[in-house]
Amino acid sequence: MHEAAIAAGILEVAGENAAGRPIQKVGLRLGRFTGVVREALEFAFEALTAGTKSEGARLEIEEVPLVVSCPVCKWAGRPAENFCMLCPQCGAAMQIVTGREMEVVWVDVE
Ligand SMILES: [Zn+2]
């Protein structure tokens, strides 16, 4: 599953930050447009930490909304319909400003 690979990547980054100490919490910024299912990611994270010294570690997810902007008329905001990428004012294709983020922002260790 997609989320399992992502959770493994998060743990790798967190593990480098923890430098061998047990991880307690990991803060993650997650954009809406990544298509990642939050619950599935939390489940995968829990499954991967079970039985390790970081067992019980929590993933704290900060969701970043999808914000787009129009290069033609400069309209910016959240798309009215789910992931509709056409400008509501002029119909041009819009660019993603935020919503693609997926990064570990902090790691809490014991
Ligand atoms: Zn426009």
Side-chain angles (χ1 to χ4, degrees), residues 70 73 87 90:
C70 174
C73 73
C87 177
C90 73

Side-chain angles (χ1 to χ4, degrees), residues 5 7 13 29 35 39 41 46 60 64-65 70-71 92 97-98 101 106:
V13 173
R29 275 166 63 81
E39 289 74 22
L41 185 60
E46 202 181 310
E60 288 208 358
V64 183
C70 174
V97 180
T98 66
E101 296 80 355
W106 50 262

